[in-house]
Amino acid sequence: MKRILITGAASGIGLATARHFHDNGWRVGLTDVNDTALAQLAATLNHSWHRRLDVTDSIACQHACRDFAEDGCIDVLFNCAGILRMGPFESISAEQHRQIIDINVTGLINMSLAAHPFLQESRAAAVINMSSASALYGVPHFASYSASKFAVRSLTEALNIEWGRQGIRVVDIMPPFVKTPMVEQASFRPPILDRMGVNLSADDVVAKVWQAANEKVPVHNPVGLSFKLLKLLDKALPSGSTRLLLQFLSRD
Ligand code: NAI
């Protein structure tokens, strides 16, 4: 039975991914900082494994990977845990900016390091990282979040080459807005959110994660037609065009 270890499994994209892989015969390892929601999910998924885990705690990440692997391997690590704070840069405290980087970037590094020995034991290992459309160009009202996803993007690119030599595929997923609690429960709604709309469901992202876990895919995997188009235009149009578009979409 193949094994996937998921961070941020208690909500949104992580939760939908856990259900899909479970329903398709995988052993799923569920981790999240929200232990109540995690236990509720685990109760619905037979033979799943779960552990409360804060990805910023590197020692706890090592214990979680070791215990889930049970002397065997981890086939797929899905680095999905993340937080978002939207708003004018100066309205977000230094502590909140730091948390975004700690969870979205350091957490992903902690988990990748901790899982590495167990990924090496798999014949078809993959690390799938949740990046975002905001890793294409810095997004107004998302500055630190966008920076964190640029970091995820570059970590993915580097490890795609480094760990690719060891037979571990490392790729990322880049969706624009997805209908999950992260977006729906946000206290600030930036203008760009209403102008672009929230047109993707968690299941749209899961389809990409499933594909990335089971077949060879490119290093970056955009989701949704509108963002695929934007990514193409970013390459095709003169430099400065994406900046102008984001300036227009984020105006008050
Ligand atoms: P969500 O808020 O529904 O789920 C995120 C989960 O991460 C929550 O269960 C939360 O408890 C967990 N988490 C937060 N801090 C944690 C920590 N320190 N340690 C462990 N778990 C922690 O969000 P959603 O939408 O499912 O997001 C999943 C990933 O997808 C995130 O990395 C997000 O940045 C990314 N993403 C989301 C988009 C969206 O529009 N919803 C778009 C692009 C990327």
Side-chain angles (χ1 to χ4, degrees):
M1 190 182 261
K2 291 185 90 178
R3 294 179 199 191
I4 181 170
L5 184 58
I6 304 172
T7 67
S11 173
I13 296 165
L15 184 150
T17 302
R19 281 198 199 291
H20 185 81
F21 278 72
H22 171 268
D23 293 350
N24 283 280
W26 285 53
R27 175 154 164 79
V28 290
L30 315 167
T31 66
D32 201 291
V33 77
N34 181 345
D35 48 357
T36 311
L38 191 64
Q40 281 169 359
L41 172 66
T44 68
L45 304 181
N46 292 334
H47 311 300
S48 61
W49 175 96
H50 72 284
R51 163 87 43 95
R52 183 196 179 275
L53 176 68
D54 181 342
V55 290
T56 63
D57 180 341
S58 62
I59 302 295
C61 290
Q62 288 170 22
H63 291 164
C65 289
R66 186 198 58 202
D67 294 349
F68 176 60
E70 292 169 324
D71 296 330
C73 71
I74 296 174
D75 296 292
V76 176
L77 169 65
F78 182 33
N79 280 314
C80 185
I83 59 165
L84 166 69
R85 300 267 180 277
M86 300 178 276
F89 186 74
E90 65 283 7
S91 73
I92 296 172
S93 69
E95 174 60 18
Q96 288 173 323
H97 282 295
R98 192 185 59 75
Q99 272 183 347
I100 293 171
I101 304 299
D102 273 2
I103 295 170
N104 297 6
V105 184
T106 310
L108 181 143
I109 293 173
N110 287 341
M111 280 304 287
S112 303
L113 280 173
H116 181 250
F118 307 102
L119 291 163
Q120 282 185 308
E121 296 298 317
S122 167
R123 284 203 206 137
V127 178
I128 304 172
N129 295 327
M130 277 311 299
S131 182
S132 154
S134 66
L136 181 68
Y137 194 95
V139 181
H141 298 136
F142 291 74
S144 296
Y145 178 81
S146 215
S148 77
K149 295 304 181 183
F150 265 82
V152 172
R153 177 186 173 139
S154 57
L155 282 161
T156 305
E157 288 170 354
L159 290 182
N160 176 272
I161 297 172
E162 268 192 59
W163 286 8
R165 295 186 181 123
Q166 304 171 20
I168 304 171
R169 295 184 301 110
V170 183
V171 300
D172 66 22
I173 312 284
M174 301 176 80
F177 300 118
V178 184
K179 204 169 180 210
T180 70
M182 176 177 275
V183 170
E184 294 190 309
Q185 294 171 6
S187 51
F188 176 84
R189 269 190 88 81
I192 195 169
L193 189 61
D194 292 324
R195 292 206 177 94
M196 284 187 64
V198 184
N199 302 315
L200 292 175
S201 69
D203 286 336
D204 294 324
V205 181
V206 174
K208 251 315 170 215
V209 178
W210 178 252
Q211 194 188 0
N214 289 291
E215 54 189 84
K216 212 161 176 253
V217 295
V219 59
H220 301 303
N221 295 276
V223 187
L225 198 60
S226 61
F227 180 59
K228 282 180 188 161
L229 200 65
L230 184 61
K231 209 162 172 284
L232 279 178
L233 286 176
D234 182 63
K235 280 201 174 144
L237 292 177
S239 74
S241 307
T242 304
R243 179 184 180 278
L244 278 177
L245 181 64
L246 282 170
Q247 197 173 29
F248 177 74
L249 288 172
S250 66
R251 73 197 187 282
D252 285 330

